[in-house]
Amino acid sequence: MCGIVGAIADRDVVPVLIEGLKRLEYRGYDSAGIAIVGDRDVRRVRRTGRVAEMEAAAASEGFVAGLGIGHTRWATHGGVTENNAHPHISHGELALVHNGIIENHEEQRERLRALGYAFESQTDTEVIAHLIHHYLQDGTDLLAALQRAVKELDGAYALAVISKRDPERMVCARMGCPLLVGLGEGENFVASDVSAILQATRRVIFLEEGDTAEVTRGGVRVFDAEGAQVRREEHVSDVSLASLELGPYSHFMQKEIHEQPRAVGDTIEAIIDANAFTPDLFGAGARAVLGDVEGVQILACGTSFYAGSVARYWIEAISGLPCSVEIASEYRYRTAVANPKHLVVTISQSGETLDTMEALKYAKSLGHDKTLSICNVPESAIPRASRLVFYTRAGAEIGVASTKAFTTQLVGLFALAATLAKLRGKLDAEQEAGYIEDLRHLPGSIQHALNLEPQIAGWAERFAPKQHALFLGRGVHYPIALEGALKLKEISYIHAEAYPAGELKHGPLALVDADMPVVVIAPRDGLLEKVKSNMQEVRARGGVLFVFTDQDSNFGPSEGVHVIRTPRHVGVLSPIVHTIPVQLLAYHAALARGTDVDKPRN
Ligand code: HGA
C-alpha cells in the first residue's frame, strides 16, 4: 500500500521525509520518491526499489529544503517504473503525492489533453497534478485550486501538494484513504500513517472524509467537504516506538506472531475484569442495539474475512442467530437485500480498509443502522462511522502479513457471539463461566503452540521446494485452513488452496500426488473422524499429509502422515490456537525460500 509523508519546518526536512518513508516501508511498495521546494524551484528524486536507493540519490543530488513531500508507491495504474513513481509534477511548478485510485482518470486525461497538458506517466495520479495546475492559472491560490480539483475526482485519494510559487505552505486532501496532520513546534507534518511522523511528533489531527487542509510552519487550517473551516480534535498518539522496532527478532512477522500471547491477553482483559460477557464491551448503548437484533451480517476483506467466517460458526452455534459473511468488495457492488434488524459487523485491522468502509456506507444506505466495528486502530474511519466498536489491543501491526490482528479479532468476535447469546437467554451462568475460563487459558495455549516452532520450521524445509500446497479443515477450522493457505501464498509464493475437507472428493483430489503437500487442521472435535476419512482419500492417491492435531487426540503419525501436536484441545476457542502453527509454517517456508517476509512482492 502506498504511503505519504510531508513536512514544513525551519530545518532541513529531507531526513524527516526519508525516515518517514522508511517507517512506511512495512506497508509494501515498489518505488519511492520525494519532492522539495527550495530556492523557488521544485526538485524531485524517484527510484524503483527500496527507499534506501532513493535516499542515496537524494543525498548525491544535495537535496536540502524546509518543505517537501515523499511517497512510497504500490502501483495500481501503470507499471513499476520511475516515470510512474510519485511525486508527479505539473509544468515544473507543483508536485503531488497520492494514495488511492481515481476512477474517472481517463475522462480527466482526455479533457486535460485537450487543454494542452502532456502526460509523462500511465498513472491515474498525474491527472490530479495537471488539474490543480490548470486551476492555478487564473490566479486561484493553491488551496482553492486543490479544493476545485478534488470536486472533479471520482474515487479515493489522500493527497499532499507543494508548489514553487507558494513555499510557505503544503496543502492536502482526503477521501476514502487515511491522512493525518502532525503538529510540531514551529513545524508541521502530514502522513498517511502516524508511524511516519512519530519521530517528530505525537500530536495529530485525523482528517475526515472530504476534508482539505492547509499546513504552514505556524499552523493548520482544516476545511470540510463544503469548504467551511472546521475544528478537528487533536489526539496524542499512543503508538509505541518500540512496536515499530524489531528488537531481537529477524522480521516483524515473526515478532508479531510471538506477541500473540500478549496481544490476546490485552484484548481479553476487559472481559476478564468484568468476569462476564457484557454489552458494555462494545461501547455505550450496546445493550439496546444488540438486545433486539435478529441476525448478523459480517463484512470484511482478506484475513479479516476469514475471522468473520470463523465467527459465523460461533454466532450461529452459540447465540442461535443467523449469520452471513461477505467479502466487502463484493457486497458493496451488488444489489443486496437489507434487513435492518440485522447487526452489520465490519472487521478491519486498520479501520481504514476502503472496500470495508464503502460496504458499511452501502449497508447504512440500505437502512442498516445497527453497526459494529471490530478494529485495531482507535479513532480510525470505520469505527467512527459505526454505532458500536470493539477495539482489539494487538498494538501496531507492521508485518504486511496479518497475524496478531487476526487472533485478536477472533477474540472480539467470540465475545460478540457469547454476548448475543447471553442477551437472548441462550448462555447460562455455568456456560458463561466456562467460556471465561477458556479465554483466561488462551494466552498460555497460544504460547504452547508457539513452542512448536522448531518442529514446524523442520516441516517448512520440506515445503520450500514445492510449487503447490493444499490445506484442509472442516467446520470452524475450515477458515483456519483458508488463512493458512493465504499466509503461505502471500509470503512464500507457493501456490496454496484451501478446501473444506468434505469437498475433496468433488474435484480437488485430482490434484493430489506426492508433490503436493496436504496440510490438515484436525483438532479433537466432533468432526475428527470425518477428517480422518478425508485423510485416507489423500493417502490413497499418494499424497503426503502434514497434520496439526491436539495433544489429546487419538491420532498418530504413520507412513506418509506427519503429525505435530498442538496443546490439549481448548474447546470452542480451538481455531485461535490452531492459527499459530499455520502462521509459523508460512513464515518458515518463506524464510527457507529466501523471500522478503516483511515486504512480500506485489
Ligand atoms: N493509483 C496510484 C496510487 C496507488 C496506491 O495508492 N497504492 O496503494 C498509482 O498507481 O500510482
Side-chain angles (χ1 to χ4, degrees), residues 61-226:
E61 291 183 33
F63 270 45
V64 176
L67 171 60
I69 51 177
H71 193 255
T72 46
R73 176 176 188 242
W74 185 85
T76 64
H77 290 58
V80 180
T81 63
E82 204 164 295
N83 265 5
N84 286 337
H86 303 210
H88 289 280
I89 289 187
S90 183
H91 282 251
E93 190 174 326
L94 67 89
L96 165 145
V97 288
H98 165 224
N99 287 357
I101 289 175
I102 303 306
E103 287 170 0
N104 61 341
H105 69 102
E106 279 168 0
E107 182 189 317
Q108 293 292 353
R109 189 180 286 253
E110 285 321 304
R111 177 182 156 215
L112 288 158
R113 275 209 176 106
L115 288 166
Y117 285 91
F119 284 79
E120 285 179 358
S121 78
Q122 286 86 47
T123 63
D124 50 339
T125 302
E126 196 179 353
V127 300
I128 319 172
H130 294 320
L131 204 52
I132 297 172
H133 181 268
H134 168 63
Y135 286 125
L136 281 174
Q137 299 321 298
D138 61 10
T140 309
D141 72 31
L142 189 60
L143 177 68
L146 171 75
Q147 288 170 333
R148 281 172 74 179
V150 295
K151 288 248 170 308
E152 296 177 24
L153 303 177
D154 295 335
Y157 51 80
L159 300 169
V161 191
I162 54 177
S163 161
K164 73 173 185 188
R165 280 207 242 170
D166 212 342
E168 298 305 321
R169 74 202 72 245
M170 166 167 64
V171 296
C172 54
R174 111 157 240 180
M175 176 68 84
C177 293
L179 196 66
L180 54 89
V181 178
L183 307 171
E185 297 298 327
E187 55 185 29
N188 289 305
F189 311 89
V190 299
S192 52
D193 183 319
V194 71
S195 59
I197 53 165
L198 276 185
Q199 31 147 347
T201 185
R202 289 189 169 274
R203 293 168 51 220
V204 294
I205 292 171
F206 296 102
L207 296 185
E208 295 189 7
E209 291 292 81
D211 280 357
T212 53
E214 178 192 68
V215 182
T216 59
R217 285 175 181 79
V220 177
R221 292 194 301 153
V222 182
F223 303 85
D224 67 13
E226 274 67 54

Side-chain angles (χ1 to χ4, degrees), residues 297-299 324-338 358-359 362-363 365-366 368:
Q297 170 71 64
I298 298 177
L299 302 170
S324 40
V325 192
E326 190 162 348
I327 290 176
S329 58
E330 287 295 313
Y331 179 85
R332 66 179 277 204
Y333 291 118
R334 75 180 177 87
T335 308
V337 179
E358 291 303 316
Y362 176 50
S365 77
L366 296 176
H368 280 291

Side-chain angles (χ1 to χ4, degrees), residues 22 37 83 95 100 107 121 212 214 219 268 320 358 364 373 406 417 420 449 478 501 518 522 546:
K22 287 185 174 169
V37 168
N83 265 5
E107 182 189 317
S121 78
T212 53
E214 178 192 68
I268 62 176
E358 291 303 316
K364 285 164 82 171
S373 148
F406 179 71
L420 288 170
Y478 164 51
V518 180
F546 294 83

